[in-house]
Amino acid sequence: MNLDAAESAGRFRVVYDEARVVVVDKESGVAIEDVARSCGRRLVHRIDKLTSGLVVLADDARTVQRMQRMLRDGRLTRRYLFVAHGVVDGGVVESELVRDRGDGLRGSGAGGKRAVTTIEPLVVAADRRATLGIATLETGRTHQIRIHLAERGAPICGERVYVRDYVARCGSVLSSPRLLLHAWELRFVHPTTKRAVTLVADPPPDFCS
């Protein structure tokens, strides 16, 4: 299927298409595997189904490998907007993430994979119940931003998984129709053209409502 037909059939839009590298901006609730299948491209990386925003795909295995090498080397920057509970402090969060921290949830624990997230708060709500911020990934582990914020006592609004500890401590969560996490910005140098690429996707209306 060509990109135009795939785009009209799915809840995503193509924001970049050059020399075998494609970037799409998908809606929350859409599995990125379904997007890749519908447009006939290969995934370079993944974002959660409930997360909206930018994802890189490629036309062929060689381009995927080159882009994934850039990810591992820190040459493909991914920045996310989030809204989290409470007042969120800035800084670098580093831990080892394991599949089961002992209660059936992914989380930080000895012997896991290194995960590093930089947190930058932007705006704190007047009632101090929520913070809008930016999370920058140095690594890309499953649910990394969600886990790191939750383990700092500030789960993302709309979180349904990594909110157990917060509920046990605080008793209630802010209402949200979706997970308020949005893959907002990508920066990389195209592996073939060598041109610097910066892409920004504004958050959708359901993120801002």
Side-chain angles (χ1 to χ4, degrees), residues 152-169:
R152 298 188 89 186
I156 295 172
C157 295
E159 180 64 74
R160 299 291 184 265
V161 178
Y162 305 104
V163 73
R164 184 183 300 173
D165 296 341
Y166 184 84
V167 171
R169 186 175 68 255

PDB file of all heavy atoms in Angstrom, residues 152-169:
ATOM      1  N   ARG A 152       9.420   8.133  40.633  1.00  0.00           N
ATOM      2  CA  ARG A 152       9.726   9.388  41.319  1.00  0.00           C
ATOM      3  C   ARG A 152       8.510   9.951  42.048  1.00  0.00           C
ATOM      4  O   ARG A 152       8.552  11.057  42.575  1.00  0.00           O
ATOM      5  CB  ARG A 152      10.249  10.429  40.323  1.00  0.00           C
ATOM      6  CG  ARG A 152      11.544  10.044  39.636  1.00  0.00           C
ATOM      7  CD  ARG A 152      12.095  11.200  38.830  1.00  0.00           C
ATOM      8  NE  ARG A 152      12.973  12.034  39.640  1.00  0.00           N
ATOM      9  CZ  ARG A 152      13.512  13.186  39.219  1.00  0.00           C
ATOM     10  NH1 ARG A 152      13.229  13.644  38.018  1.00  0.00           N
ATOM     11  NH2 ARG A 152      14.303  13.875  39.995  1.00  0.00           N
ATOM     12  N   GLY A 153       7.432   9.197  42.041  1.00  0.00           N
ATOM     13  CA  GLY A 153       6.233   9.641  42.731  1.00  0.00           C
ATOM     14  C   GLY A 153       5.355  10.555  41.907  1.00  0.00           C
ATOM     15  O   GLY A 153       4.488  11.235  42.455  1.00  0.00           O
ATOM     16  N   ALA A 154       5.545  10.564  40.575  1.00  0.00           N
ATOM     17  CA  ALA A 154       4.791  11.456  39.695  1.00  0.00           C
ATOM     18  C   ALA A 154       4.333  10.707  38.453  1.00  0.00           C
ATOM     19  O   ALA A 154       4.788  10.995  37.343  1.00  0.00           O
ATOM     20  CB  ALA A 154       5.640  12.657  39.304  1.00  0.00           C
ATOM     21  N   PRO A 155       3.421   9.743  38.597  1.00  0.00           N
ATOM     22  CA  PRO A 155       2.967   9.012  37.410  1.00  0.00           C
ATOM     23  C   PRO A 155       2.301   9.943  36.406  1.00  0.00           C
ATOM     24  O   PRO A 155       1.710  10.959  36.772  1.00  0.00           O
ATOM     25  CB  PRO A 155       1.965   7.993  37.983  1.00  0.00           C
ATOM     26  CG  PRO A 155       1.507   8.597  39.263  1.00  0.00           C
ATOM     27  CD  PRO A 155       2.696   9.329  39.804  1.00  0.00           C
ATOM     28  N   ILE A 156       2.400   9.590  35.146  1.00  0.00           N
ATOM     29  CA  ILE A 156       1.795  10.385  34.087  1.00  0.00           C
ATOM     30  C   ILE A 156       0.274  10.335  34.220  1.00  0.00           C
ATOM     31  O   ILE A 156      -0.306   9.297  34.544  1.00  0.00           O
ATOM     32  CB  ILE A 156       2.239   9.860  32.711  1.00  0.00           C
ATOM     33  CG1 ILE A 156       3.750  10.070  32.536  1.00  0.00           C
ATOM     34  CG2 ILE A 156       1.484  10.548  31.581  1.00  0.00           C
ATOM     35  CD1 ILE A 156       4.321   9.422  31.296  1.00  0.00           C
ATOM     36  N   CYS A 157      -0.371  11.453  33.980  1.00  0.00           N
ATOM     37  CA  CYS A 157      -1.835  11.498  34.015  1.00  0.00           C
ATOM     38  C   CYS A 157      -2.400  10.562  32.939  1.00  0.00           C
ATOM     39  O   CYS A 157      -1.918  10.546  31.801  1.00  0.00           O
ATOM     40  CB  CYS A 157      -2.334  12.919  33.794  1.00  0.00           C
ATOM     41  SG  CYS A 157      -1.866  14.065  35.114  1.00  0.00           S
ATOM     42  N   GLY A 158      -3.410   9.815  33.313  1.00  0.00           N
ATOM     43  CA  GLY A 158      -3.968   8.803  32.415  1.00  0.00           C
ATOM     44  C   GLY A 158      -3.289   7.458  32.537  1.00  0.00           C
ATOM     45  O   GLY A 158      -3.688   6.501  31.856  1.00  0.00           O
ATOM     46  N   GLU A 159      -2.279   7.354  33.394  1.00  0.00           N
ATOM     47  CA  GLU A 159      -1.579   6.084  33.599  1.00  0.00           C
ATOM     48  C   GLU A 159      -2.517   5.060  34.233  1.00  0.00           C
ATOM     49  O   GLU A 159      -3.265   5.364  35.170  1.00  0.00           O
ATOM     50  CB  GLU A 159      -0.373   6.307  34.518  1.00  0.00           C
ATOM     51  CG  GLU A 159       0.452   5.069  34.811  1.00  0.00           C
ATOM     52  CD  GLU A 159       1.104   4.491  33.576  1.00  0.00           C
ATOM     53  OE1 GLU A 159       2.078   5.079  33.090  1.00  0.00           O
ATOM     54  OE2 GLU A 159       0.596   3.451  33.096  1.00  0.00           O
ATOM     55  N   ARG A 160      -2.501   3.827  33.691  1.00  0.00           N
ATOM     56  CA  ARG A 160      -3.339   2.767  34.224  1.00  0.00           C
ATOM     57  C   ARG A 160      -2.514   1.608  34.781  1.00  0.00           C
ATOM     58  O   ARG A 160      -3.066   0.723  35.447  1.00  0.00           O
ATOM     59  CB  ARG A 160      -4.276   2.224  33.129  1.00  0.00           C
ATOM     60  CG  ARG A 160      -5.242   3.259  32.550  1.00  0.00           C
ATOM     61  CD  ARG A 160      -6.291   3.686  33.543  1.00  0.00           C
ATOM     62  NE  ARG A 160      -7.255   4.614  32.944  1.00  0.00           N
ATOM     63  CZ  ARG A 160      -7.159   5.934  33.020  1.00  0.00           C
ATOM     64  NH1 ARG A 160      -6.127   6.485  33.659  1.00  0.00           N
ATOM     65  NH2 ARG A 160      -8.078   6.723  32.457  1.00  0.00           N
ATOM     66  N   VAL A 161      -1.217   1.604  34.519  1.00  0.00           N
ATOM     67  CA  VAL A 161      -0.368   0.487  34.937  1.00  0.00           C
ATOM     68  C   VAL A 161       0.551   0.899  36.082  1.00  0.00           C
ATOM     69  O   VAL A 161       0.496   0.322  37.178  1.00  0.00           O
ATOM     70  CB  VAL A 161       0.463  -0.039  33.743  1.00  0.00           C
ATOM     71  CG1 VAL A 161       1.381  -1.175  34.195  1.00  0.00           C
ATOM     72  CG2 VAL A 161      -0.452  -0.506  32.618  1.00  0.00           C
ATOM     73  N   TYR A 162       1.389   1.915  35.838  1.00  0.00           N
ATOM     74  CA  TYR A 162       2.413   2.279  36.823  1.00  0.00           C
ATOM     75  C   TYR A 162       1.902   3.368  37.771  1.00  0.00           C
ATOM     76  O   TYR A 162       2.544   4.395  37.982  1.00  0.00           O
ATOM     77  CB  TYR A 162       3.677   2.737  36.106  1.00  0.00           C
ATOM     78  CG  TYR A 162       4.182   1.699  35.137  1.00  0.00           C
ATOM     79  CD1 TYR A 162       3.992   1.854  33.765  1.00  0.00           C
ATOM     80  CD2 TYR A 162       4.791   0.529  35.587  1.00  0.00           C
ATOM     81  CE1 TYR A 162       4.428   0.886  32.866  1.00  0.00           C
ATOM     82  CE2 TYR A 162       5.224  -0.444  34.705  1.00  0.00           C
ATOM     83  CZ  TYR A 162       5.038  -0.258  33.346  1.00  0.00           C
ATOM     84  OH  TYR A 162       5.461  -1.228  32.476  1.00  0.00           O
ATOM     85  N   VAL A 163       0.751   3.105  38.353  1.00  0.00           N
ATOM     86  CA  VAL A 163       0.122   4.079  39.233  1.00  0.00           C
ATOM     87  C   VAL A 163      -0.206   3.459  40.593  1.00  0.00           C
ATOM     88  O   VAL A 163      -0.682   4.133  41.495  1.00  0.00           O
ATOM     89  CB  VAL A 163      -1.147   4.645  38.552  1.00  0.00           C
ATOM     90  CG1 VAL A 163      -2.272   3.612  38.558  1.00  0.00           C
ATOM     91  CG2 VAL A 163      -1.591   5.959  39.155  1.00  0.00           C
ATOM     92  N   ARG A 164       0.129   2.191  40.743  1.00  0.00           N
ATOM     93  CA  ARG A 164      -0.233   1.447  41.954  1.00  0.00           C
ATOM     94  C   ARG A 164       0.340   2.081  43.222  1.00  0.00           C
ATOM     95  O   ARG A 164      -0.371   2.282  44.217  1.00  0.00           O
ATOM     96  CB  ARG A 164       0.251   0.005  41.816  1.00  0.00           C
ATOM     97  CG  ARG A 164      -0.148  -0.916  42.953  1.00  0.00           C
ATOM     98  CD  ARG A 164       0.456  -2.299  42.737  1.00  0.00           C
ATOM     99  NE  ARG A 164      -0.001  -2.894  41.482  1.00  0.00           N
ATOM    100  CZ  ARG A 164       0.486  -4.032  40.991  1.00  0.00           C
ATOM    101  NH1 ARG A 164       1.456  -4.671  41.634  1.00  0.00           N
ATOM    102  NH2 ARG A 164       0.019  -4.521  39.858  1.00  0.00           N
ATOM    103  N   ASP A 165       1.624   2.405  43.195  1.00  0.00           N
ATOM    104  CA  ASP A 165       2.268   2.968  44.390  1.00  0.00           C
ATOM    105  C   ASP A 165       1.699   4.347  44.721  1.00  0.00           C
ATOM    106  O   ASP A 165       1.538   4.695  45.896  1.00  0.00           O
ATOM    107  CB  ASP A 165       3.781   3.070  44.185  1.00  0.00           C
ATOM    108  CG  ASP A 165       4.435   1.705  44.011  1.00  0.00           C
ATOM    109  OD1 ASP A 165       3.812   0.687  44.397  1.00  0.00           O
ATOM    110  OD2 ASP A 165       5.562   1.654  43.483  1.00  0.00           O
ATOM    111  N   TYR A 166       1.416   5.125  43.682  1.00  0.00           N
ATOM    112  CA  TYR A 166       0.875   6.471  43.904  1.00  0.00           C
ATOM    113  C   TYR A 166      -0.508   6.398  44.541  1.00  0.00           C
ATOM    114  O   TYR A 166      -0.823   7.148  45.479  1.00  0.00           O
ATOM    115  CB  TYR A 166       0.815   7.219  42.578  1.00  0.00           C
ATOM    116  CG  TYR A 166       0.361   8.658  42.700  1.00  0.00           C
ATOM    117  CD1 TYR A 166       1.272   9.655  43.029  1.00  0.00           C
ATOM    118  CD2 TYR A 166      -0.961   9.007  42.483  1.00  0.00           C
ATOM    119  CE1 TYR A 166       0.862  10.987  43.141  1.00  0.00           C
ATOM    120  CE2 TYR A 166      -1.379  10.331  42.592  1.00  0.00           C
ATOM    121  CZ  TYR A 166      -0.465  11.309  42.916  1.00  0.00           C
ATOM    122  OH  TYR A 166      -0.875  12.614  43.036  1.00  0.00           O
ATOM    123  N   VAL A 167      -1.337   5.493  44.056  1.00  0.00           N
ATOM    124  CA  VAL A 167      -2.678   5.334  44.625  1.00  0.00           C
ATOM    125  C   VAL A 167      -2.593   4.879  46.077  1.00  0.00           C
ATOM    126  O   VAL A 167      -3.330   5.372  46.947  1.00  0.00           O
ATOM    127  CB  VAL A 167      -3.507   4.343  43.789  1.00  0.00           C
ATOM    128  CG1 VAL A 167      -4.815   3.997  44.490  1.00  0.00           C
ATOM    129  CG2 VAL A 167      -3.786   4.922  42.404  1.00  0.00           C
ATOM    130  N   ALA A 168      -1.672   3.959  46.357  1.00  0.00           N
ATOM    131  CA  ALA A 168      -1.523   3.465  47.723  1.00  0.00           C
ATOM    132  C   ALA A 168      -1.102   4.582  48.667  1.00  0.00           C
ATOM    133  O   ALA A 168      -1.507   4.616  49.836  1.00  0.00           O
ATOM    134  CB  ALA A 168      -0.501   2.336  47.761  1.00  0.00           C
ATOM    135  N   ARG A 169      -0.310   5.520  48.148  1.00  0.00           N
ATOM    136  CA  ARG A 169       0.195   6.614  48.987  1.00  0.00           C
ATOM    137  C   ARG A 169      -0.761   7.801  49.033  1.00  0.00           C
ATOM    138  O   ARG A 169      -0.962   8.407  50.086  1.00  0.00           O
ATOM    139  CB  ARG A 169       1.557   7.075  48.456  1.00  0.00           C
ATOM    140  CG  ARG A 169       2.246   8.111  49.319  1.00  0.00           C
ATOM    141  CD  ARG A 169       3.634   8.440  48.804  1.00  0.00           C
ATOM    142  NE  ARG A 169       3.592   9.134  47.528  1.00  0.00           N
ATOM    143  CZ  ARG A 169       3.876   8.583  46.360  1.00  0.00           C
ATOM    144  NH1 ARG A 169       4.233   7.315  46.301  1.00  0.00           N
ATOM    145  NH2 ARG A 169       3.812   9.277  45.249  1.00  0.00           N
TER     146      ARG A 169
END
